[in-house]
Amino acid sequence: MPAPISGCYVSAQPADAIRRARHFVLLYKEETERLLSSQPQGISPDLALVTGLKSGDQGAMAQLYDRYSSVVYAVALRVLGDTGAAEDVLQEVFLQLWRKPSAFDAARGSLGSWLAVITRNRAIDSLRKRRPETDIEDVVLSVAPDLAGDAERSRAAEKVRGVMGAMSPAQRSALEMAYWQGMSHTEIADKTGEPLGTVKTRIRAGLIALRKAFQT
Amino acid sequence: MTGHEQYADDLALYALNALQADHRARIAAHLAGCGSCRLELEQLRGDTALLALSTTGPRPPQRARQRLLDAIAREPRVPKIVQTEPRHSWWGYLRLAATVAVTVFAFTLWKENSVLKATLSNAQSQSARSARELEELRRIAAPIIAPEAQHVTLVSPKTPPQPQGKAFYLRNRGSLVFLANNMPPLPPQKAYELWLIPTTGAPIPAGVFKPDAHGSASVVNPPLPPGVEAKAFAITVENEAGSATPTMPIVMMGAGE
């Protein structure tokens, strides 16, 4: 607590907080405007389509489905291994987007990446027969590469497979068990007989390795 | 991420929804107050997105598309104000936090201002009261201790003036006022010293003084320990600097009344 001066607490913190908040809001608006203005003419950008969802544009929903349903379905099928269950998750994810389009934060990453994360989480919840643990509005992520197009996603997938292939079998296995099977680190440790700390470190190191591959 | 390395591994598990409920709640509580860990979590979720996008498979069946479009057509779309920003993004939380901080700060200032006003008012009235009391005391004490005051000792016409001292002592405050008249002149470099004679223990020095040309002198509030009961007061002749113990003989002495 700051020292009282002439009987009142003098602190620069609230003023700084307001300045920082304004600064961030301005940055956010600038970034949004930049994203909007940088889209090629004649192509419906994700952000414009998401804006369309906010006003109830069903055509925008159809376009977004056509762009991302293959990604969403592939992720759900990989987790669940069952086409019917994967189709249910696909339906649920796009309905969530329809109901809460403002949950997607365009300033933080691509829509495809965000949908992939949402889908994986929903699929794991379904696999483990548990209630959804995370609201889609709480899923905020930061992705450097632009993965909106099929070509970009294909190149990214190739790079990810290369990084995974370069990992030790134990690390790759820990990461895949956690990611695709939704196993907790305790369950992985029980299954592999490895210490809990080792499993945790391997999972994080694996994710960081992926990040580094896309930073170079 | 800097400074919170102890959370690093757990954040990766949090991003994967791979923590037990209680552990997850602890990390969530930390995230609520830690911007750097939130940023790291966003990065880790981005990393998991890369992993998800690496998978490929068949396209969904055609019926799935129609199923979705039928579903959204049936969804009641309640018109509402379009939000220009994500409701629950961290930016939103930041703005909310700033608003709350400003409100709390303003309320704190208002409350503190009220307390300060009351304190100031009390201090002003107390100061005025003290000033009045001080003025009254000065008015009483002035004829006694002011150098220019006329000191007259009244005695029987046939009795020559005698040295006389009067001590006013308030034990619980250790406060003493001593007034003397008709004191004989002192030898050079000598002074009178007043002694407090306690009921038990050695005499305590109670001030050194020299009488003026008329033999008058006063000692006001010499440093004394509080609470000492005085059996008597005495005066000796000492060096000008004073002494820690009285030098005989005692030239004047009086017991308490």
Side-chain angles (χ1 to χ4, degrees):
Chain A
M1 179 175 289
I5 298 174
S6 302
C8 67
Y9 291 107
V10 175
S11 169
Q13 288 175 358
D16 284 350
I18 295 168
R19 273 197 296 276
R20 278 200 295 272
R22 283 180 179 156
H23 177 67
F24 288 140
V25 170
L26 283 174
L27 279 181
Y28 175 83
K29 286 180 176 171
E30 284 172 6
E31 181 66 8
T32 305
E33 285 164 4
R34 186 187 67 76
L35 285 168
L36 281 170
S37 62
S38 63
Q39 294 296 337
Q41 295 296 316
I43 299 175
S44 296
D46 288 348
L47 195 55
L49 291 173
V50 171
T51 305
L53 298 186
K54 292 175 184 173
S55 56
D57 182 353
Q58 295 179 24
M61 187 75 248
Q63 287 189 58
L64 284 171
Y65 179 90
D66 291 342
R67 288 168 77 104
Y68 294 112
S69 60
S70 58
V71 173
V72 170
Y73 186 70
V75 172
L77 189 59
R78 171 77 186 268
V79 171
L80 294 164
D82 178 85
T83 54
E87 197 180 321
D88 287 344
V89 170
L90 169 78
Q91 178 90 358
E92 187 189 347
V93 167
F94 278 101
L95 271 177
Q96 287 287 309
L97 178 62
W98 172 252
R99 289 166 183 157
K100 294 182 181 175
S102 58
F104 168 60
D105 185 348
R108 312 296 288 169
S110 70
L111 181 62
S113 304
W114 186 72
L115 286 171
V117 173
I118 299 288
T119 303
R120 181 266 172 190
N121 291 348
R122 282 286 182 269
I124 292 293
D125 290 337
S126 175
L127 181 71
R128 299 182 74 88
K129 296 182 172 39
R130 66 189 183 196
R131 291 171 60 81
E133 286 200 338
T134 311
D135 193 291
I136 62 167
E137 291 179 312
D138 295 330
V139 176
V140 180
L141 59 128
S142 175
V143 180
D146 179 9
L147 303 175
D150 287 341
E152 290 88 349
R153 280 204 300 278
S154 178
R155 278 196 295 273
E158 191 62 35
K159 192 180 267 191
V160 170
R161 282 193 284 270
V163 175
M164 295 292 285
M167 289 179 188
S168 70
Q171 182 171 37
R172 184 170 58 250
S173 174
L175 189 54
E176 287 183 340
M177 279 189 276
Y179 194 74
W180 294 115
Q181 298 174 38
M183 293 173 69
S184 71
H185 63 294
T186 311
E187 291 169 328
I188 297 170
D190 287 344
K191 186 172 182 177
T192 61
E194 290 179 323
L196 277 175
T198 303
V199 172
K200 289 165 74 171
T201 304
R202 277 185 177 148
I203 291 171
R204 176 171 180 264
L207 291 175
I208 299 294
L210 284 171
R211 186 188 306 173
K212 285 183 177 170
F214 282 85
Q215 286 173 341
T216 54
Chain B
M1 184 173 60
T2 57
H4 290 176
E5 295 303 324
Q6 72 270 30
Y7 294 106
D9 290 343
D10 286 342
L11 283 177
L13 296 172
Y14 187 95
L16 293 167
N17 285 358
L19 288 174
Q20 304 287 351
D22 56 338
H23 198 166
R24 183 174 180 79
R26 283 202 302 277
I27 299 299
H30 173 73
L31 285 166
C34 180
S36 63
C37 283
R38 283 199 300 271
L39 288 175
E40 174 64 9
L41 176 64
E42 289 177 17
Q43 290 277 341
L44 287 163
R45 280 190 175 134
D47 302 336
T48 67
L50 296 172
L51 208 49
L53 291 167
S54 70
T55 194
T56 54
R59 301 187 71 81
Q62 188 60 34
R63 66 173 182 276
R65 186 178 193 274
Q66 195 55 49
R67 183 183 164 197
L68 175 71
L69 296 178
D70 290 346
I72 64 171
R74 288 194 302 270
E75 285 270 334
R77 194 74 175 181
V78 180
K80 58 184 179 182
I81 297 169
V82 174
Q83 292 175 322
T84 55
E85 292 174 39
R87 276 198 298 138
H88 288 183
S89 74
W90 295 116
W91 308 122
Y93 285 128
L94 190 62
R95 293 179 65 188
L96 179 63
T99 305
V100 170
V102 169
T103 306
V104 169
F105 182 62
F107 177 74
T108 305
L109 277 184
W110 171 80
K111 197 173 171 185
E112 198 146 330
N113 191 33
S114 302
V115 173
L116 282 174
K117 278 182 177 172
T119 307
L120 182 62
S121 175
N122 284 342
Q124 283 174 336
S125 60
Q126 194 166 355
S127 173
R129 192 164 58 247
S130 298
R132 283 196 301 275
E133 288 174 356
L134 183 61
E135 184 56 33
E136 183 67 13
L137 286 171
R138 278 182 179 154
R139 208 163 55 78
I140 294 169
I144 303 171
I145 60 174
E148 68 275 19
Q150 236 183 323
H151 291 195
V152 179
T153 304
L154 305 180
V155 297
S156 167
K158 293 182 181 175
T159 307
Q162 294 293 315
Q164 191 179 53
K166 196 86 175 172
F168 305 90
Y169 177 55
L170 199 56
R171 186 182 73 175
N172 59 352
R173 291 190 186 177
S175 179
L176 171 66
V177 175
F178 174 75
L179 303 170
N181 301 102
N182 302 319
M183 299 297 290
L186 286 161
Q189 299 175 343
K190 292 289 183 182
Y192 291 113
E193 184 156 11
L194 178 65
W195 300 92
L196 185 156
I197 315 294
T199 50
T200 57
I204 300 169
V208 176
F209 63 93
K210 283 185 171 184
D212 61 15
H214 305 291
S216 298
S218 63
V219 175
V220 178
N221 282 336
L224 288 173
V228 179
E229 186 177 354
K231 184 170 67 180
F233 286 89
I235 292 174
T236 60
V237 176
E238 307 289 348
N239 290 328
E240 284 178 320
S243 171
T245 54
T247 305
M248 295 298 119
I250 293 174
V251 296
M252 292 174 72
M253 186 166 179
E257 296 173 356

